[in-house]
Structures are given as C-alpha cells and as structure tokens.
Amino acid sequence: MKAGHKQWIGLAVLVLPVLLISVDLHVLSYALPFISASLAPSSSQLLWIIDIYPFVLAGLLLPMGTLGDRIGRRRLLMAGAAAFGAASAIAAFSTDAGILIATRALLGVGGATLMPSTLSLIRNMFPDDGRRRVAISIWTAAFAGGAMLGPLMGGALLEHFRWGAVFLVNLPVMALLLVLAPLLLPESRDPRPGRFDVLSVALSLAAILPAIYGVQHIAQDGFGPLPVLAIAAGLALGVAFVRRQRALLEPMLDVRLFGSRAFSAAIGTNTLGVFAMVGSSLFTTQYLQMVMGARPFVAGLYALPAAGMAMLAAALAPVLVRRVRPGLVVCAGLLISATGFALLARLDTGGQALTLIAGIMLMAGGVTIALTVSSDLIIAAAPPDRAGSVAGLSQVATEFGGALGISLLGSIGAAVYRGHLAGTGAPAQALDTLGAALEVARRLPQPAGDALADAAREAFTQGQHYAMIAAAAGLYLMAVPAPILLWSIRRADQPERRSGQHATR
C-alpha cells in the first residue's frame, strides 16, 4: 500500500511534537539564570530542575513505546500531548522551585509518550521502504533542526519575555496536535498484545534510571562512589531485564533483534551520533557566549547554518541509499562529522567565527546523515505490530548518547580546564567552570581580573580542544567497521531487499 496525501499531511502533524521536544531539550539552559533569580532554588533544587526531565523521559521511553502498541499509538500520542501542554502551562507560572520540579517531571512523562508514538506511527503509515525512508528523514531533520534552533529560540524569547515564555510556546503546538491527530493520523496497535508484564516494566525502569543518573552526575561532579554504584546497579538490572525477555513467550522487547549485527550497529550509530552532537553543544554554546562574548540571541544565530545543513543532509540521505549501500552512507556521514569535530578542535581564544560555523555545519550534516539511515534501519527491523517498543528502544539509545556525550566529553574538558588553570595560580573558586572563573575575575581589581579571565578562556579552549579530538576519534573508529557490520543491508533500488527483513538477516 502506497502513502497518499493524507499520510504526508499526517507526517507534518507528527513532526510538530518532535521539533518541539528537541527545542525543549536545549532551550532550558538559557533560562536557568532567570529561573534562579526568580525562584531562588537551592543548589539541590536547581540540579533537579535540570535533571528530572531527562531522567523521567529516559526511564519511560521503553514502557511507553510498549504501551502504545497495546492501547493504540495515536491514543497515547494525544494523551501525551495533553499532559505535555498542561505541564507546560503550570511550569510557565511556577511560583517556587518545587512546583517547577514536579511539572518538569510531568513534561518528561509527556515527552516519553510523544517520541516513540511518532516513530511507530510512521512505521505503520508508510509500509513502503522508500516512502518510509523519506518520512524518517523528515522526522530526523525536525529533531536535528530543533536541536540547532533551540538556542536561537531561547535567546530570542528571553531577550523580550520572562523565563516562563520558554514553556508557553509549547501550548499552541500541543493544541494543534490534539485537533489534527484524530483527523489525519490512523490508529494502530498490536492486535495480539499478550499479557502485560509488570516486572519487565519495573526492571526496565530500574535499569535505565540509575544508569542515566550515574552518567549525568559523573559529568557534573566527577567520579565518585555513588554515581559509579548507580551505573553498576543499572547494568546489573539491565542484564536481568534481558534474561527475563529471553525467557518470556511474549516479551516486552524482542532482544533477539540484537543478534543481528546490522541492528546492533544501527543502535550504536544512533547512540554515538547523539553523543557527539550533544557533547559538542556543551562547548560551543559556552565558547560563543564566554569566549567570543556573543549575546544569547546572537549565539543562537550561529546555529542557523548548521540547522540548514542538518535539514539538507536529512533530505539527501534517502537519495543516497538508493544508489549506495546504507553502510557506506553511514560511514560517510560519520567521517564528515568527525572532520567537523577536527575543525572545532582548532578553535582558540581569538574567536574564529568561520571555523566554528564550518565545524558545526559539518558535524550537524554528517551526524544527521548517519542518524537518518540508522533510524530507518532500526524501525524497519520491527514488525508493524511491535513498532512502539522498538521505537522506544531507539529513543532510549538517543538519551544514553546525549548523557554520555555530556559526561565523557564534559569530563575531558573539565579535567584539562582545571589542570591548565591550576598551573596559573588561579584561586580555587575559578577552577570549577569558565563561568565561575569569569565571575571571580569581575570581582578582582585590575589588571589581575583581566589576567584571570584570559587564563580561564585559554584553559577552556584547551579543554575544548581535547574533547573535540576525543569525539572525532570516536566517530572515526565507528566509521571503520560500519560498512562491514551493515554490509548485509542492500541498496534501496535492489529488489531483493524487503521491508522488515533486512535488519534481521
């Protein structure tokens, strides 16, 4: 069955929440100083304002994907949109930190329903390989474009409105989704869902939440016994989850998919691509504002070329796989992205705008090509009636990639920053972050203040240099085996390839 006009219009509806959630993941960091001034949260509360959303989102993605298979993906999408909109309205007018933390948690619940629902609906709306590939490329472009446009939107809103505006922009989009979804999106579910296994859901949550917690807190506080124990506990419970899925006749997640090298490689590519993209944004946003001195809105403008490149790359990916094996396309995307990181590693305190723009354009374009192809391979591996659980797994890999990017690349940058700055005799308060060092420098008499600020900026760019080299090395290392691991996946124009079979051969 070929997709008609209604399916393509329905895809436009599905793109709305994807774009919004991607923007929402990146816009809050710009609002944190305003939230701190307005609500005066404690350091612990501020940490939870940041962390609670990705914790809840990551923990519920897989269970919510499975729930959509059972009750209907469109129904779950609409329930999530309603929850996301209500939480956004409450968050915008929060009067204390506790209310904001609670509403951020509810936003995580809503986000966990939206992402796997959109991807699994695409799987069922576009059964034809070629059209599904184009649809997923549009979905990926929205996700990548939102990541790049988030800083621009955040900067623009915060220059003209109070911090609650970053949440209020969600309301019209969610309202439009609730109106259009019943008209344009077909309902789909697993006709034989089997028994709902509560223990599997509990094990998935118990595995994902401590692992994400540990990774994020290593990024913030460095290695310590608590985050390391959390990661170890998450891994152990993950093993228990996998064993239970193998033992069940009707598992929550068909772990046999990982027996396919191609499926495992596609999951790995997704994780590494988001790892690199999110990890790089941790440095480029600080570089723009604290090294180059750009205002938030101007800093956001620097992301526009990368957003355009990401959208162009997503459009090119389905064209490329009609002529070249997907494994080679993924390899090329990873190599292009690694080249972008190599450029970013060349930045210094002189504020090299053209090098920065070229680097993030190559990074965004290359990662988007790889993610578009790998996302299609992941969702195509799922039978249509189990698409929700596989879509949830794909998004869990994305969340882990982002958390690992912040943790590992952030830890490399922080270690180099502290080591470099400590050698200059800087005060201890300046060794935490570049922002802290610049604040200390402002309070010092001249010329000591300027000397500390210059030394801190130099230390930051040194840390950025090594972090970007590490990211480039990881992408190069993944690019080498990608064509081999994905060699069984044929070009899209080869007739022997069939939907739903190519990733499990």
Side-chain angles (χ1 to χ4, degrees), residues 69 92 145 153 201 254 265 268 274 282 287 300 305 345 358 404 412 438 443 459:
D69 289 338
M153 180 179 289
V201 174
D254 186 1
V274 177
L282 179 69
Y287 181 85
L404 285 170
I412 291 170
L438 295 180
R443 296 197 298 265

Side-chain angles (χ1 to χ4, degrees), residues 250-469:
E250 296 170 333
M252 174 177 160
L253 176 68
D254 186 1
V255 295
R256 292 174 301 177
L257 288 170
F258 286 99
S260 162
R261 291 190 307 173
F263 182 82
S264 297
I267 289 285
T269 299
N270 254 27
T271 304
L272 185 61
V274 177
F275 164 92
M277 185 180 291
V278 174
S280 71
S281 67
L282 179 69
F283 291 92
T284 54
T285 53
Q286 293 183 79
Y287 181 85
L288 282 164
Q289 294 182 74
M290 296 186 217
V291 177
M292 292 180 60
R295 293 184 296 111
F297 179 71
V298 175
L301 289 175
Y302 277 91
L304 285 179
M309 179 61 75
M311 294 176 185
L312 177 62
L316 281 175
V319 177
L320 291 173
V321 295
R322 286 202 295 268
R323 295 167 171 80
V324 183
R325 280 183 181 266
L328 293 174
V329 176
V330 169
C331 176
L334 294 173
L335 291 175
I336 291 169
S337 182
T339 304
F341 278 100
L343 280 178
L344 293 176
R346 296 172 58 86
L347 295 173
D348 58 29
T349 56
Q352 299 156 293
L354 291 178
T355 301
L356 174 67
I357 292 172
I360 59 176
M361 285 180 69
L362 288 172
M363 179 275 296
V367 166
T368 304
I369 286 174
L371 289 182
T372 302
V373 178
S374 62
S375 295
D376 174 62
L377 298 180
I378 292 167
I379 200 64
D385 56 356
R386 303 301 300 272
S389 60
V390 175
L393 174 65
S394 172
Q395 294 307 304
V396 169
T398 296
E399 287 298 312
F400 266 109
L404 285 170
I406 293 172
S407 177
L408 297 182
L409 297 183
S411 296
I412 291 170
V416 174
Y417 169 82
R418 292 185 187 116
H420 188 90
L421 194 59
T424 67
Q429 306 96 299
L431 300 180
D432 189 18
T433 63
L434 175 58
L438 295 180
E439 185 60 34
V440 171
R442 278 193 287 269
R443 296 197 298 265
L444 290 177
Q446 299 304 327
D450 286 344
L452 175 59
D454 291 342
R457 291 187 178 101
E458 177 63 31
F460 175 82
T461 56
Q462 287 294 314
Q464 178 176 261
H465 171 80
Y466 285 101
M468 297 301 99
I469 288 176

